[in-house]
Amino acid sequence: MAMETIAVPEADTGRRTRGSRPARRDGSAKIIGVPYIARNIPPYDILNEENLQKIERVADRILAEVGIEFRDDPVCLDYWRQAGAKVDGVLVRFEPGMLNEIVSTAPQQFTQHARNPRHNVEIGGSNVVFSPAYGSPFVMDIDKGRRYGTLEDFRNFIKLAQSSPYLHHSGGTICEPVDVPVNKRHLDMVYSHIKYSDRAFMGSITAEERAEDSIDMARIVFGRDFVDRNCVILGNVNVNSPLVWDGTMTKSLRAYARANQAAVIVPFILGGAMGPVTNAGAIAQSYAETLAGCALTQLERRGAPVIFGNFLSSMSLRSGAPTFGTPEPAIGSMVIGQLARRLKLPLRCAGNFSNSKLPDGQAMVEGTMSMLSAVHCGANFILHSAGFLDGLLAMSYEKFMMDVDLCGALHSYLAGVVVDDNTLAMDAFLQVGPGSHFLGCDHTMKNYQTAFWDSNLSDNESFEKWSEEGGSTDMATRANKRWKKTLAEYEAPPLDIAIDEALTDYMTRRKTGMADAWY
């Protein structure tokens, strides 16, 4: 798929190009973004064939000898019986190779369509899609501190994501809007993604009927026939590790697959709690859990798109507290990438993880380590690309802007090194010669606007200028100003009035038919 350039709102400054290298800021240039990244650097394989096979064999033994429980979903158990698995109550065991054969019908790559076709994303292959963080009950900023998220916060983060050229996806539950009843908030969240963004988005998975509501709202936007043939919405479903799939998740998973929409299958393994403390064992467990979920989508609807997901994490063995952005899960993600490529499935893995309570040095050190592991493991859909703080308990406005800036740098990083007559710069060497400089030569003047990525938040001036003109600010303070400026300048993308009215009518009818529930 050709990657065209797209103009987006003037929230930040700099110019984007197909090569993902922005121009120097000129004060009037509009951001130009790409709908997704076509990576020009290869993923990093760290294990040899022998060790990959060892992990796969242990995963096969877990599936065959220990098994996985599938609770509160009799239909799911019937599917497994018909497929030839051994079902004993809710415990299901699988012969080696059985699940691999089932998942072979899933597509290696698929398009998730956005309501603005220029923002369609390609998930799989060599493509990379950045999406905001997902699932935090709290939000925070340096003005008001940490607090429960509201629908206004939820919509603010959608607007910030829509305004960034460095994110490609609107995300899902960016934060929980706790001021809306639990059984109704999914309607407001899906509507907000559609209303305030024209990018691809995610739906609800907290109950089967909420998943179906999300898909029905997508059908209003795209048309029922189109949705039946194309992916327009994702559902992020989690395993209840260790080795349990509960009915809430499997029913939602099946709802997405039944509608030919993509489920993202994700175990969350906290080493030492929900899985072994050792990396190889945790990887084998997560592989088994994810593979079973991916296979279930194909039993529901053969050929439905699915994303092989993973979330490895560690813990402090002194206190029992979860830790994020640590090296062991980061390097484990590399192995997950290799295993997913062997299955020929799109991958969601790692992200910008941190346990820091503030948008500080710890947050960026941990986030950068885990984000680079996502880039190098070959992840195609990177959830949690921006905003993640406090072990995912809080979405930070400042961290969101800082992470988006890092995503901008990763656009250039993933572009790799272009080698051609222009980049080899022989004409510059001939013009400059020994002992001179390249500042004013023709080659520099020709390329200076696209040569280097230019951060929107970093301060690269001298100490004296920073102290005198910049007010001695740190990056979090600059990010605070940036998100406020971005929201002030935000303009909603056009939405057809008839579609808007149909969505509002659907929400009203659904909400009227149920009493408020707050748990």
Side-chain angles (χ1 to χ4, degrees):
M1 175 178 175
M3 293 179 62
E4 57 184 318
T5 58
I6 301 169
V8 299
E10 238 177 333
D12 299 300
T13 52
R15 184 177 300 277
R16 299 295 293 159
T17 67
R18 180 185 172 106
S20 299
R21 296 180 185 274
R24 298 293 183 184
R25 295 186 284 255
D26 64 9
S28 62
K30 287 194 174 184
I31 296 286
I32 302 296
V34 292
Y36 56 89
I37 301 170
R39 62 185 299 145
N40 287 316
I41 63 174
Y44 186 38
D45 294 339
I46 66 169
L47 288 190
N48 60 25
E49 178 67 20
E50 179 184 0
N51 284 323
L52 287 173
Q53 289 184 10
K54 286 181 180 178
I55 291 174
E56 290 170 333
R57 283 196 294 270
V58 169
D60 281 342
R61 289 193 63 190
I62 292 170
L63 290 165
E65 298 175 28
V66 181
I68 296 179
E69 289 189 358
F70 290 83
R71 300 176 181 174
D72 303 318
D73 188 354
V75 173
C76 175
L77 296 174
D78 285 342
Y79 282 169
W80 289 129
R81 289 189 190 94
Q82 294 167 20
K86 298 175 183 177
V87 180
D88 181 9
V90 297
L91 182 67
V92 182
R93 295 185 177 91
F94 310 88
E95 290 298 321
M98 171 186 168
L99 296 180
N100 301 63
E101 182 178 351
I102 294 173
V103 300
S104 66
T105 61
Q108 298 182 36
Q109 180 175 321
F110 64 92
T111 303
Q112 186 186 358
H113 294 263
R115 70 176 180 88
N116 180 347
R118 295 185 302 165
H119 291 310
N120 293 351
V121 292
E122 285 292 308
I123 299 177
S126 62
N127 306 305
V128 182
V129 174
F130 290 152
S131 180
Y134 180 111
S136 300
F138 298 101
V139 300
M140 67 172 297
D141 60 62
I142 60 178
D143 300 309
K144 299 178 183 178
R146 187 175 186 258
R147 59 198 184 275
Y148 279 109
T150 65
L151 186 58
E152 180 183 6
D153 291 309
F154 183 85
R155 289 172 173 171
N156 282 344
F157 281 113
I158 291 174
K159 294 173 183 179
L160 291 174
Q162 169 73 10
S163 300
S164 172
Y166 305 137
L167 297 178
H168 315 108
H169 202 276
S170 192
T173 307
I174 306 180
C175 69
E176 283 285 351
V178 300
D179 54 338
V180 182
V182 171
N183 61 330
K184 299 178 181 180
R185 67 180 59 156
H186 66 286
L187 299 165
D188 293 282
M189 290 192 287
V190 171
Y191 175 75
S192 296
H193 278 297
I194 296 168
K195 176 75 172 179
Y196 300 106
S197 174
D198 59 1
R199 293 179 173 175
F201 62 95
M202 307 176 79
S204 177
I205 48 80
T206 53
E208 183 177 17
E209 64 270 19
R210 297 171 196 167
E212 291 175 341
D213 280 340
S214 302
I215 296 164
D216 281 342
M217 292 177 75
R219 287 174 176 137
I220 292 172
V221 177
F222 293 92
R224 181 173 291 273
D225 290 343
F226 186 88
V227 171
D228 189 58
R229 300 190 307 270
N230 300 277
C231 178
V232 301
I233 189 170
L234 306 182
N236 190 72
V237 295
N238 292 111
V239 186
N240 190 3
S241 302
L243 304 173
V244 173
W245 273 98
D246 68 80
T248 300
M249 292 292 100
T250 56
K251 290 173 184 176
S252 293
L253 175 160
R254 293 193 296 104
Y256 278 92
R258 185 163 59 247
N260 199 32
Q261 304 307 298
V264 189
I265 311 299
V266 188
F268 170 48
I269 296 180
L270 187 62
M274 291 95 85
V277 294
T278 49
N279 231 349
I283 291 167
Q285 175 189 330
S286 68
Y287 179 82
E289 293 174 341
T290 308
L291 187 57
C294 291
L296 183 56
T297 68
Q298 300 307 294
L299 296 183
E300 181 67 41
R301 179 165 174 167
R302 183 183 176 93
V306 64
I307 299 176
F308 187 99
N310 183 263
F311 194 129
L312 293 174
S313 190
S314 52
M315 64 184 294
S316 170
L317 296 177
R318 291 191 298 264
S319 67
T323 53
F324 296 90
T326 51
E328 293 83 7
I331 201 68
S333 296
M334 305 289 191
V335 182
I336 295 294
Q338 289 182 267
L339 294 169
R341 285 190 290 279
R342 289 159 75 87
L343 291 171
K344 295 181 172 59
L345 291 175
L347 172 65
R348 181 224 139 171
C349 195
N352 196 314
F353 303 155
S354 176
N355 216 37
S356 180
K357 312 308 179 285
L358 294 170
D360 58 8
Q362 177 187 342
M364 295 312 292
V365 167
E366 292 172 344
T368 300
M369 171 167 283
S370 57
M371 195 64 173
L372 282 175
S373 76
V375 165
H376 286 297
C377 78
N380 305 113
F381 180 68
I382 304 180
L383 199 59
H384 305 310
S385 291
F388 187 121
L389 268 190
D390 191 15
L392 194 54
L393 289 176
M395 274 292 293
S396 162
Y397 280 85
E398 288 79 24
K399 179 71 160 34
F400 190 93
M401 303 308 290
M402 293 159 69
D403 292 343
V404 162
D405 202 57
L406 175 61
C407 287
L410 291 173
H411 276 67
S412 290
Y413 190 81
L414 283 160
V417 177
V418 177
V419 180
D420 57 24
D421 289 345
N422 176 59
T423 61
L424 287 168
M426 190 63 210
D427 55 334
F429 290 110
L430 292 172
Q431 181 181 355
V432 173
S436 188
H437 62 74
F438 291 79
L439 288 174
C441 77
D442 294 341
H443 183 267
T444 299
M445 299 307 295
K446 175 184 175 183
N447 290 279
Y448 82 96
Q449 287 192 314
T450 58
F452 303 123
W453 172 73
D454 195 5
S455 169
N456 289 313
L457 288 178
S458 295
D459 188 303
N460 298 312
E461 302 296 343
S462 67
F463 179 88
E464 290 75 17
K465 188 171 183 180
W466 168 77
S467 180
E468 294 172 6
E469 298 181 10
S472 302
T473 60
D474 61 8
M475 182 176 276
T477 304
R478 294 190 292 273
N480 178 268
K481 295 177 180 178
R482 175 68 62 178
W483 71 256
K484 292 174 181 175
K485 181 176 186 290
T486 302
L487 288 181
E489 296 176 348
Y490 165 83
E491 294 181 9
L495 177 62
D496 183 90
I497 294 174
I499 290 176
D500 198 355
E501 290 176 347
L503 289 167
T504 303
D505 178 67
Y506 181 89
M507 293 168 62
T508 301
R509 287 186 287 107
R510 290 290 291 126
K511 288 184 177 182
T512 302
M514 63 180 105
D516 291 352
W518 292 96
Y519 58 90

